[in-house]
């Protein structure tokens, strides 16, 4: 039993891909939760109240009673291990490890893509006119090669059934797809399919300035 109410602290503009991941996880689990906005533009993440909750002074942070947890992958793993309902990770041990590998890779690599195609492209419809730099194109080619290897035979999901890693890979691909950059059709179709998931649509429907 988890009687304590859940609060998810997210960025005020709803453009953090990591906040999206935690938000989708809560929705997929069918959990009631309050969304609390943190104004990163005014450095609210460093103010005493939030800094007292978030170890990293970043979003998202999940709060449940006197328990607070930062970092989106930690949050999604906690939710999957603590609550019944839709699984967020594959059940098989090796597939689950592979899903976590995808999450860790997307957070630690491909910086030129994240820099040149920020999430205003993904969540606010902004487009960047400048073509990808040579570094970003190399990163894109690396992304495409890895994603195609993970998705053989036109499979719908990375590991046979939906997982939170599918949402996170779709975000990275959509940095390019939604900007109009060339992306292999197989991967563009995969990203579009993940984008139609109701939990993702709930995030996309949040009001943005």
């Amino acid at each position: 039993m988890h009687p304590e109410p859940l609060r998810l602290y997210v960025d005020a503009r709803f453009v953090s891909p990591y906040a999206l991941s935690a938000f989708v996880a809560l929705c997929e689990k069918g959990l009631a939760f309050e969304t609390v906005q943190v104004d990163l533009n005014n450095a609210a993440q460093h103010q005493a109240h939030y800094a007292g909750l978030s170890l990293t002074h970043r979003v998202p942070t999940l709060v449940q009673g006197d328990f607070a947890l930062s970092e989106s992958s930690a949050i999604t793993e906690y939710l999957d291990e603590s609550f019944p309902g839709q699984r967020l990770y594959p059940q098989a041990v090796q597939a689950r490890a592979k899903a976590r590998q995808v999450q860790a890779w997307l957070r630690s690599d491909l910086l030129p893509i994240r820099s040149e195609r920020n999430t205003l492209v993904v969540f606010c419809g902004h487009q960047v006119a400048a073509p990808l730099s040579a570094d970003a194109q190399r990163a894109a080619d690396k992304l495409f090669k890895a994603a195609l290897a993970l998705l053989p035979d036109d499979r719908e999901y990375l590991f046979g059934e939906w997982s939170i890693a599918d949402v996170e890979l779709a975000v990275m691909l959509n940095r390019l797809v939604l900007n109009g950059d060339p992306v292999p059709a197989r991967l563009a179709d995969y990203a579009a399919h993940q984008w139609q998931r109701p939990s993702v649509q709930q995030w996309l429907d949040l009001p943005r300035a």
Side-chain angles (χ1 to χ4, degrees):
M1 296 292 292
H2 296 275
E4 301 93 344
L6 293 163
R7 298 196 310 278
L8 181 68
Y9 289 80
V10 303
D11 60 297
R13 300 179 72 186
F14 303 116
V15 296
S16 165
Y18 311 115
L20 160 68
S21 184
F23 181 94
V24 165
L26 286 160
C27 292
E28 290 287 342
K29 287 292 185 182
L31 298 169
F33 64 99
E34 177 188 3
T35 302
V36 183
Q37 295 168 257
V38 180
D39 189 352
L40 305 184
N41 286 344
N42 288 320
Q45 71 272 31
H46 301 303
Q47 294 175 8
H49 172 69
Y50 189 70
L53 295 174
S54 173
L55 179 70
T56 60
H57 298 196
R58 302 200 296 185
V59 295
T61 292
L62 179 72
V63 175
Q64 180 186 24
D66 59 0
F67 173 73
L69 184 65
S70 299
E71 296 302 301
S72 58
S73 59
I75 291 170
T76 55
E77 289 184 33
Y78 169 73
L79 292 172
D80 210 27
E81 293 170 1
S82 301
F83 295 93
Q86 170 69 49
R87 293 194 63 88
L88 305 176
Y89 291 89
Q91 188 165 4
V93 171
Q94 291 185 350
R96 190 161 65 247
K98 288 282 191 179
R100 288 169 172 157
Q101 172 186 255
V102 169
Q103 286 186 296
W105 174 54
L106 293 173
R107 285 162 171 73
S108 62
D109 199 359
L110 309 175
L111 178 60
I113 298 175
R114 288 185 277 133
S115 176
E116 296 181 28
R117 299 295 185 261
N118 66 38
T119 51
L120 294 178
V121 170
V122 180
F123 300 122
C124 298
H126 293 193
Q127 291 193 324
V128 181
L132 293 171
S133 68
D135 284 346
Q137 187 60 60
R138 281 191 290 270
D141 292 341
K142 181 179 181 180
L143 171 64
F144 300 155
K145 182 177 179 180
L148 289 168
L150 287 165
L151 291 163
D153 306 321
D154 293 334
R155 69 174 58 177
E156 189 175 23
Y157 301 115
L158 290 168
F159 305 106
E161 57 184 2
W162 179 87
S163 75
I164 196 67
D166 287 294
V167 173
E168 298 193 7
L169 179 57
V171 170
M172 184 61 74
L173 290 168
N174 273 337
R175 290 174 183 269
L176 301 166
V177 173
L178 297 178
N179 195 65
D181 298 304
V183 175
R186 167 78 183 94
L187 298 181
D189 290 346
Y190 163 82
H193 178 64
Q194 310 312 319
W195 229 232
Q196 295 308 308
R197 196 166 181 90
S199 56
V200 176
Q201 286 292 308
Q202 283 184 250
W203 175 265
L204 297 175
D205 287 342
L206 293 171
R208 292 172 175 83

